[in-house]
Structures are given as structure tokens and as C-alpha cells.
Amino acid sequence: MKKIFYPAEKRGHNDIGWLKANFSFSFGPYYDPEKVHFGALRVLNDDIIAGGTGFGTHPHDNMEIITIPISGALEHKDSMGSIGVINAGDVQVMSAGSGITHSEYNHSKTEAANTLQIWLFPKVRNIKPRYDQKSFTDVLKLNQLTTLVSPDKTNPDTLWINQDATFTMGDFEPGQQINYEIKQPGNGVYVFVIDGAAKIDHTVLNKKDALGVYDTSSLTIETTAKSRLLLMEVPML
């Protein structure tokens, strides 16, 4: 097993008033040649968006974009005609493909929203753009990982993504041991602690810390506090 530790306090930061962003990888004004991507995982932005504000219409292409609200809600509009609101407990997937424009605004005029925006390099370039979202509020079970995103188009319980990647998330009590088996040989796993604390192979992770693990077929996570974990299994490219 090989691993890369990504401590929360070593992330990039940008505060422009309405947006307070934390960058796990090089993005916008933040650049670190050692933090450009982890395999197919190109962007992991931990954004706090003030009430009544958001991202105006802007373009994307050839990127798989996953948005996971931690608290609050976002309004989404795009050039395909998709309009909707994603709340905490929901997950949004957008395949930018050959090109798309969209906007995202805080649904609340007064309360801040905290969201994770995640970009993956696509498996196939220039596909027809697509949008999907799904609520997982009623399927998340304590002390279990729930699959949110997968490359399986036929699975009605997950959101499909144009990459051999699988995202799982779960809430865990202290003292739990989570055994995760790599689903696609050669993939790595980026474990992000949304809240709480955990240990992987003697590496201690606290809130918003992450560990990239690869060259292994499995890993074991031990929770040392009440925790919410996000596991992103991705090709190492």
C-alpha cells in the first residue's frame, strides 16, 4: 500500500467575501505542483457560499462534476434546460462532455451553504452533456457505506458517471472498523473526512483531512470519533 496524506490546514484558500474556498488541489489562484490531481480526481473544493450569492453562468467541457452539499442548498440552472435545487443529502452529477454552461446559487438569501465540488477527468471525451441528481437521505444507514456514484448505468440506486470511479459515503460511530475492497483493479481511493476522525494504516485523519491510498486491493478505516466519511475510488491514470 502506498499513501499520500493531505492535511486540511495545508489546503489552498481563497476568501473573496461571498465565497470562502478551500482547495485540495491546484485551482484558480492556488497552485502547488505536488497537488494537481490524485489519479482521475482533479478538483476537490470545499466551498462556503454566503446567502444570496453564487456562481454566475460559466462554461465547462470534458469534466465529470459532482456536487455534494454538506449544509444548505444550491440552485442549479444549465444550458440543457435543467433547473433544480440540491439540498444536503442530495448528490448532483454533471457530465460537461462536449460543452455546457451552468450557474449555481445559494438557495437561501440569508444562510450560508457549504458544498463539496468535485471534478474528475472523464473516461470518454466529448460525450453528450448530461445532468442528474438524487437524494440519499433515506438510504444512508449508520455504520454502513452507501454507494452514491458508480460507472454502472444499470444501477437505479446510484448516479452514473463517465469514469471507472465509485463514490461511497457513510456516518459512523466511534470505534467502527470499515473494510473497503477496491472495485476496479488498479484504482486508488481518496478518503476525505467530512467530519470526525479516523485512522488508516497508522495515519490519523481529523476533520477535512484526506488520505490518498493506492497500490493495494483493500484498506481498513478505524473511526476514533463520530464521523462522516467520503471515499472516492478513482483510476490512477
Side-chain angles (χ1 to χ4, degrees):
M1 176 190 290
K2 295 179 181 177
K3 55 187 181 178
I4 307 170
F5 181 46
Y6 297 89
E9 65 271 15
K10 295 295 180 68
R11 295 181 296 175
H13 304 283
N14 191 31
D15 186 343
I16 55 174
W18 67 270
L19 173 66
K20 294 176 175 58
N22 296 282
F23 308 121
S24 294
F25 301 99
S26 298
F27 188 88
Y30 169 65
Y31 178 72
D32 182 337
E34 295 185 358
K35 295 180 181 177
V36 176
H37 64 101
F38 175 79
L41 177 59
R42 172 61 187 88
V43 168
L44 172 56
N45 292 350
D46 179 4
D47 294 334
I48 298 176
I49 305 165
T53 68
F55 301 93
T57 302
H58 58 281
H60 292 287
D61 66 80
N62 287 308
M63 199 67 71
E64 297 296 296
I65 300 171
I66 301 98
T67 303
I68 302 176
I70 297 173
S71 63
L74 289 185
E75 294 181 13
H76 167 91
K77 295 181 181 179
D78 64 44
S79 53
M80 296 180 292
S82 303
I83 300 174
V85 176
I86 53 170
N87 298 277
D90 297 345
V91 178
Q92 175 196 83
V93 169
M94 187 172 68
S95 293
S98 58
I100 191 174
T101 60
H102 79 133
S103 63
E104 289 179 306
Y105 283 88
N106 189 335
H107 186 56
S108 170
K109 300 299 182 185
T110 56
E111 299 296 324
N114 184 194
T115 67
L116 300 178
Q117 184 165 115
I118 302 158
W119 296 8
L120 298 185
F121 295 118
K123 181 177 182 178
V124 179
R125 291 177 58 84
N126 296 316
I127 68 169
K128 182 180 179 181
R130 59 180 291 276
Y131 174 88
D132 201 0
Q133 70 180 72
K134 185 177 178 64
S135 173
F136 291 89
T137 302
D138 295 334
V139 295
L140 286 171
K141 296 181 179 179
L142 186 63
N143 297 326
Q144 291 184 23
L145 285 172
T146 296
T147 302
L148 311 176
V149 173
S150 81
D152 183 1
K153 282 185 177 181
T154 66
N155 188 344
D157 298 324
T158 65
L159 291 166
W160 176 76
I161 191 171
N162 173 31
Q163 184 52 274
D164 292 326
T166 301
F167 285 23
T168 55
M169 187 168 71
D171 294 320
F172 297 91
E173 296 172 312
Q176 296 295 306
Q177 188 173 80
I178 305 114
N179 298 307
Y180 183 86
E181 300 286 335
I182 302 291
K183 293 169 177 55
Q184 297 272 352
N187 278 4
V189 181
Y190 190 90
V191 181
F192 184 71
V193 180
I194 295 175
D195 200 8
K199 185 188 295 185
I200 304 172
D201 191 39
H202 307 295
T203 300
V204 175
L205 306 175
N206 292 302
K207 183 176 181 177
K208 302 297 177 71
D209 288 344
L211 189 72
V213 177
Y214 60 105
D215 278 3
T216 185
S217 60
S218 65
L219 65 146
T220 300
I221 306 168
E222 300 175 43
T223 55
T224 55
K226 183 179 179 181
S227 302
R228 171 165 282 196
L229 307 176
L230 175 63
L231 278 63
M232 292 168 274
E233 178 183 327
V234 296
M236 292 309 293
L237 304 180

mmCIF file of all heavy atoms in Angstrom, residues 193-224:
data_model
loop_
_atom_site.group_PDB
_atom_site.id
_atom_site.type_symbol
_atom_site.label_atom_id
_atom_site.label_comp_id
_atom_site.label_asym_id
_atom_site.label_seq_id
_atom_site.Cartn_x
_atom_site.Cartn_y
_atom_site.Cartn_z
ATOM 1 N N VAL A 193 -12.344 13.042 5.196
ATOM 2 C CA VAL A 193 -13.107 13.077 6.441
ATOM 3 C C VAL A 193 -13.941 14.361 6.464
ATOM 4 O O VAL A 193 -13.422 15.450 6.734
ATOM 5 C CB VAL A 193 -12.186 12.999 7.668
ATOM 6 C CG1 VAL A 193 -13.006 13.048 8.959
ATOM 7 C CG2 VAL A 193 -11.342 11.722 7.632
ATOM 8 N N ILE A 194 -15.215 14.236 6.148
ATOM 9 C CA ILE A 194 -16.096 15.402 6.174
ATOM 10 C C ILE A 194 -16.253 15.912 7.599
ATOM 11 O O ILE A 194 -16.241 17.122 7.860
ATOM 12 C CB ILE A 194 -17.469 15.061 5.563
ATOM 13 C CG1 ILE A 194 -17.311 14.723 4.067
ATOM 14 C CG2 ILE A 194 -18.459 16.212 5.737
ATOM 15 C CD1 ILE A 194 -18.589 14.250 3.399
ATOM 16 N N ASP A 195 -16.378 14.980 8.529
ATOM 17 C CA ASP A 195 -16.471 15.348 9.940
ATOM 18 C C ASP A 195 -15.973 14.173 10.772
ATOM 19 O O ASP A 195 -16.084 13.015 10.362
ATOM 20 C CB ASP A 195 -17.919 15.672 10.308
ATOM 21 C CG ASP A 195 -18.035 16.495 11.578
ATOM 22 O OD1 ASP A 195 -16.990 16.950 12.093
ATOM 23 O OD2 ASP A 195 -19.168 16.704 12.065
ATOM 24 N N GLY A 196 -15.409 14.475 11.933
ATOM 25 C CA GLY A 196 -14.969 13.422 12.831
ATOM 26 C C GLY A 196 -13.487 13.149 12.753
ATOM 27 O O GLY A 196 -12.673 14.033 12.460
ATOM 28 N N ALA A 197 -13.126 11.881 12.995
ATOM 29 C CA ALA A 197 -11.719 11.482 12.998
ATOM 30 C C ALA A 197 -11.619 9.991 12.727
ATOM 31 O O ALA A 197 -12.497 9.217 13.110
ATOM 32 C CB ALA A 197 -11.066 11.819 14.341
ATOM 33 N N ALA A 198 -10.526 9.593 12.068
ATOM 34 C CA ALA A 198 -10.337 8.192 11.716
ATOM 35 C C ALA A 198 -8.851 7.891 11.583
ATOM 36 O O ALA A 198 -8.006 8.808 11.572
ATOM 37 C CB ALA A 198 -11.061 7.867 10.414
ATOM 38 N N LYS A 199 -8.542 6.603 11.460
ATOM 39 C CA LYS A 199 -7.157 6.160 11.306
ATOM 40 C C LYS A 199 -7.097 5.134 10.182
ATOM 41 O O LYS A 199 -7.939 4.240 10.104
ATOM 42 C CB LYS A 199 -6.653 5.547 12.607
ATOM 43 C CG LYS A 199 -5.174 5.153 12.589
ATOM 44 C CD LYS A 199 -4.794 4.384 13.847
ATOM 45 C CE LYS A 199 -4.909 5.244 15.094
ATOM 46 N NZ LYS A 199 -4.429 4.519 16.309
ATOM 47 N N ILE A 200 -6.100 5.298 9.301
ATOM 48 C CA ILE A 200 -5.864 4.344 8.218
ATOM 49 C C ILE A 200 -4.386 3.996 8.209
ATOM 50 O O ILE A 200 -3.536 4.881 8.008
ATOM 51 C CB ILE A 200 -6.265 4.924 6.838
ATOM 52 C CG1 ILE A 200 -7.722 5.383 6.835
ATOM 53 C CG2 ILE A 200 -6.034 3.898 5.736
ATOM 54 C CD1 ILE A 200 -8.122 6.131 5.571
ATOM 55 N N ASP A 201 -4.065 2.736 8.449
ATOM 56 C CA ASP A 201 -2.677 2.277 8.388
ATOM 57 C C ASP A 201 -1.753 3.199 9.197
ATOM 58 O O ASP A 201 -0.744 3.689 8.703
ATOM 59 C CB ASP A 201 -2.224 2.204 6.928
ATOM 60 C CG ASP A 201 -0.899 1.478 6.775
ATOM 61 O OD1 ASP A 201 -0.689 0.469 7.478
ATOM 62 O OD2 ASP A 201 -0.062 1.934 5.961
ATOM 63 N N HIS A 202 -2.142 3.476 10.430
ATOM 64 C CA HIS A 202 -1.394 4.294 11.396
ATOM 65 C C HIS A 202 -1.403 5.793 11.080
ATOM 66 O O HIS A 202 -0.776 6.564 11.812
ATOM 67 C CB HIS A 202 0.060 3.817 11.531
ATOM 68 C CG HIS A 202 0.192 2.361 11.836
ATOM 69 N ND1 HIS A 202 -0.247 1.800 13.019
ATOM 70 C CD2 HIS A 202 0.690 1.328 11.102
ATOM 71 C CE1 HIS A 202 -0.018 0.509 13.009
ATOM 72 N NE2 HIS A 202 0.544 0.174 11.849
ATOM 73 N N THR A 203 -2.069 6.218 10.025
ATOM 74 C CA THR A 203 -2.186 7.646 9.736
ATOM 75 C C THR A 203 -3.482 8.168 10.349
ATOM 76 O O THR A 203 -4.565 7.651 10.066
ATOM 77 C CB THR A 203 -2.194 7.915 8.223
ATOM 78 O OG1 THR A 203 -0.975 7.426 7.647
ATOM 79 C CG2 THR A 203 -2.310 9.408 7.937
ATOM 80 N N VAL A 204 -3.367 9.196 11.181
ATOM 81 C CA VAL A 204 -4.525 9.778 11.862
ATOM 82 C C VAL A 204 -5.107 10.898 11.002
ATOM 83 O O VAL A 204 -4.388 11.793 10.546
ATOM 84 C CB VAL A 204 -4.123 10.322 13.246
ATOM 85 C CG1 VAL A 204 -5.298 11.029 13.904
ATOM 86 C CG2 VAL A 204 -3.624 9.189 14.137
ATOM 87 N N LEU A 205 -6.420 10.843 10.776
ATOM 88 C CA LEU A 205 -7.115 11.842 9.974
ATOM 89 C C LEU A 205 -8.155 12.539 10.847
ATOM 90 O O LEU A 205 -8.974 11.876 11.487
ATOM 91 C CB LEU A 205 -7.822 11.197 8.778
ATOM 92 C CG LEU A 205 -6.992 10.333 7.841
ATOM 93 C CD1 LEU A 205 -7.887 9.689 6.788
ATOM 94 C CD2 LEU A 205 -5.906 11.152 7.179
ATOM 95 N N ASN A 206 -8.130 13.860 10.842
ATOM 96 C CA ASN A 206 -9.137 14.646 11.528
ATOM 97 C C ASN A 206 -10.034 15.350 10.511
ATOM 98 O O ASN A 206 -9.896 15.136 9.307
ATOM 99 C CB ASN A 206 -8.463 15.651 12.469
ATOM 100 C CG ASN A 206 -7.759 14.968 13.634
ATOM 101 O OD1 ASN A 206 -8.380 14.244 14.406
ATOM 102 N ND2 ASN A 206 -6.449 15.168 13.735
ATOM 103 N N LYS A 207 -10.946 16.162 10.988
ATOM 104 C CA LYS A 207 -11.935 16.803 10.121
ATOM 105 C C LYS A 207 -11.272 17.519 8.944
ATOM 106 O O LYS A 207 -10.370 18.315 9.120
ATOM 107 C CB LYS A 207 -12.774 17.792 10.934
ATOM 108 C CG LYS A 207 -13.890 18.454 10.143
ATOM 109 C CD LYS A 207 -14.721 19.347 11.032
ATOM 110 C CE LYS A 207 -15.860 20.009 10.240
ATOM 111 N NZ LYS A 207 -16.725 20.846 11.115
ATOM 112 N N LYS A 208 -11.732 17.182 7.744
ATOM 113 C CA LYS A 208 -11.318 17.746 6.459
ATOM 114 C C LYS A 208 -9.915 17.307 6.036
ATOM 115 O O LYS A 208 -9.407 17.767 5.012
ATOM 116 C CB LYS A 208 -11.436 19.281 6.442
ATOM 117 C CG LYS A 208 -12.852 19.803 6.726
ATOM 118 C CD LYS A 208 -13.864 19.383 5.687
ATOM 119 C CE LYS A 208 -15.287 19.826 5.986
ATOM 120 N NZ LYS A 208 -15.544 21.250 5.862
ATOM 121 N N ASP A 209 -9.278 16.412 6.797
ATOM 122 C CA ASP A 209 -8.060 15.757 6.314
ATOM 123 C C ASP A 209 -8.437 14.707 5.268
ATOM 124 O O ASP A 209 -9.581 14.238 5.214
ATOM 125 C CB ASP A 209 -7.327 15.049 7.450
ATOM 126 C CG ASP A 209 -6.652 15.988 8.431
ATOM 127 O OD1 ASP A 209 -6.473 17.171 8.104
ATOM 128 O OD2 ASP A 209 -6.305 15.531 9.545
ATOM 129 N N ALA A 210 -7.450 14.307 4.469
ATOM 130 C CA ALA A 210 -7.679 13.255 3.472
ATOM 131 C C ALA A 210 -6.440 12.393 3.339
ATOM 132 O O ALA A 210 -5.324 12.821 3.656
ATOM 133 C CB ALA A 210 -8.054 13.864 2.129
ATOM 134 N N LEU A 211 -6.669 11.171 2.851
ATOM 135 C CA LEU A 211 -5.564 10.261 2.573
ATOM 136 C C LEU A 211 -5.816 9.590 1.233
ATOM 137 O O LEU A 211 -6.867 8.986 1.023
ATOM 138 C CB LEU A 211 -5.442 9.198 3.671
ATOM 139 C CG LEU A 211 -4.185 8.320 3.595
ATOM 140 C CD1 LEU A 211 -2.951 9.128 4.003
ATOM 141 C CD2 LEU A 211 -4.315 7.091 4.500
ATOM 142 N N GLY A 212 -4.845 9.719 0.332
ATOM 143 C CA GLY A 212 -4.900 9.009 -0.938
ATOM 144 C C GLY A 212 -4.172 7.684 -0.801
ATOM 145 O O GLY A 212 -3.005 7.659 -0.404
ATOM 146 N N VAL A 213 -4.857 6.592 -1.110
ATOM 147 C CA VAL A 213 -4.303 5.253 -0.946
ATOM 148 C C VAL A 213 -4.314 4.553 -2.303
ATOM 149 O O VAL A 213 -5.328 4.580 -3.015
ATOM 150 C CB VAL A 213 -5.136 4.443 0.071
ATOM 151 C CG1 VAL A 213 -4.596 3.032 0.192
ATOM 152 C CG2 VAL A 213 -5.155 5.134 1.431
ATOM 153 N N TYR A 214 -3.201 3.911 -2.677
ATOM 154 C CA TYR A 214 -3.151 3.201 -3.953
ATOM 155 C C TYR A 214 -2.147 2.055 -3.870
ATOM 156 O O TYR A 214 -1.508 1.863 -2.829
ATOM 157 C CB TYR A 214 -2.819 4.148 -5.108
ATOM 158 C CG TYR A 214 -1.486 4.865 -5.005
ATOM 159 C CD1 TYR A 214 -0.408 4.475 -5.785
ATOM 160 C CD2 TYR A 214 -1.310 5.943 -4.123
ATOM 161 C CE1 TYR A 214 0.819 5.128 -5.709
ATOM 162 C CE2 TYR A 214 -0.091 6.603 -4.034
ATOM 163 C CZ TYR A 214 0.961 6.190 -4.826
ATOM 164 O OH TYR A 214 2.178 6.829 -4.728
ATOM 165 N N ASP A 215 -2.035 1.297 -4.943
ATOM 166 C CA ASP A 215 -1.213 0.081 -4.971
ATOM 167 C C ASP A 215 -1.644 -0.888 -3.869
ATOM 168 O O ASP A 215 -0.816 -1.440 -3.132
ATOM 169 C CB ASP A 215 0.282 0.417 -4.835
ATOM 170 C CG ASP A 215 0.902 0.840 -6.157
ATOM 171 O OD1 ASP A 215 0.158 0.925 -7.159
ATOM 172 O OD2 ASP A 215 2.113 1.120 -6.187
ATOM 173 N N THR A 216 -2.942 -1.093 -3.758
ATOM 174 C CA THR A 216 -3.495 -2.036 -2.805
ATOM 175 C C THR A 216 -4.846 -2.511 -3.323
ATOM 176 O O THR A 216 -5.458 -1.846 -4.172
ATOM 177 C CB THR A 216 -3.645 -1.403 -1.407
ATOM 178 O OG1 THR A 216 -4.082 -2.398 -0.477
ATOM 179 C CG2 THR A 216 -4.653 -0.267 -1.428
ATOM 180 N N SER A 217 -5.307 -3.634 -2.817
ATOM 181 C CA SER A 217 -6.620 -4.144 -3.218
ATOM 182 C C SER A 217 -7.690 -3.847 -2.175
ATOM 183 O O SER A 217 -8.873 -4.079 -2.438
ATOM 184 C CB SER A 217 -6.556 -5.650 -3.467
ATOM 185 O OG SER A 217 -6.146 -6.334 -2.289
ATOM 186 N N SER A 218 -7.278 -3.337 -1.010
ATOM 187 C CA SER A 218 -8.238 -3.043 0.053
ATOM 188 C C SER A 218 -7.611 -2.106 1.066
ATOM 189 O O SER A 218 -6.392 -1.892 1.071
ATOM 190 C CB SER A 218 -8.703 -4.325 0.738
ATOM 191 O OG SER A 218 -7.623 -4.943 1.415
ATOM 192 N N LEU A 219 -8.440 -1.549 1.925
ATOM 193 C CA LEU A 219 -7.954 -0.738 3.039
ATOM 194 C C LEU A 219 -8.935 -0.851 4.189
ATOM 195 O O LEU A 219 -10.103 -1.190 3.999
ATOM 196 C CB LEU A 219 -7.775 0.726 2.642
ATOM 197 C CG LEU A 219 -9.000 1.526 2.255
ATOM 198 C CD1 LEU A 219 -8.857 2.978 2.690
ATOM 199 C CD2 LEU A 219 -9.188 1.490 0.731
ATOM 200 N N THR A 220 -8.437 -0.577 5.385
ATOM 201 C CA THR A 220 -9.255 -0.620 6.585
ATOM 202 C C THR A 220 -9.217 0.740 7.271
ATOM 203 O O THR A 220 -8.139 1.312 7.471
ATOM 204 C CB THR A 220 -8.764 -1.707 7.554
ATOM 205 O OG1 THR A 220 -8.836 -2.981 6.903
ATOM 206 C CG2 THR A 220 -9.627 -1.745 8.808
ATOM 207 N N ILE A 221 -10.393 1.246 7.607
ATOM 208 C CA ILE A 221 -10.525 2.537 8.277
ATOM 209 C C ILE A 221 -11.082 2.290 9.672
ATOM 210 O O ILE A 221 -12.072 1.581 9.840
ATOM 211 C CB ILE A 221 -11.475 3.460 7.501
ATOM 212 C CG1 ILE A 221 -11.038 3.600 6.039
ATOM 213 C CG2 ILE A 221 -11.557 4.838 8.170
ATOM 214 C CD1 ILE A 221 -12.070 4.259 5.152
ATOM 215 N N GLU A 222 -10.454 2.886 10.680
ATOM 216 C CA GLU A 222 -10.953 2.824 12.053
ATOM 217 C C GLU A 222 -11.415 4.215 12.471
ATOM 218 O O GLU A 222 -10.636 5.169 12.394
ATOM 219 C CB GLU A 222 -9.860 2.337 12.997
ATOM 220 C CG GLU A 222 -9.315 0.960 12.684
ATOM 221 C CD GLU A 222 -8.151 0.602 13.589
ATOM 222 O OE1 GLU A 222 -8.239 0.871 14.802
ATOM 223 O OE2 GLU A 222 -7.148 0.075 13.064
ATOM 224 N N THR A 223 -12.663 4.339 12.893
ATOM 225 C CA THR A 223 -13.154 5.644 13.342
ATOM 226 C C THR A 223 -12.806 5.833 14.818
ATOM 227 O O THR A 223 -12.973 4.931 15.634
ATOM 228 C CB THR A 223 -14.671 5.769 13.155
ATOM 229 O OG1 THR A 223 -15.332 4.687 13.820
ATOM 230 C CG2 THR A 223 -15.034 5.744 11.678
ATOM 231 N N THR A 224 -12.324 7.028 15.146
ATOM 232 C CA THR A 224 -11.964 7.347 16.526
ATOM 233 C C THR A 224 -12.895 8.400 17.119
ATOM 234 O O THR A 224 -12.698 8.835 18.253
ATOM 235 C CB THR A 224 -10.509 7.830 16.601
ATOM 236 O OG1 THR A 224 -10.320 8.927 15.697
ATOM 237 C CG2 THR A 224 -9.555 6.710 16.197
#
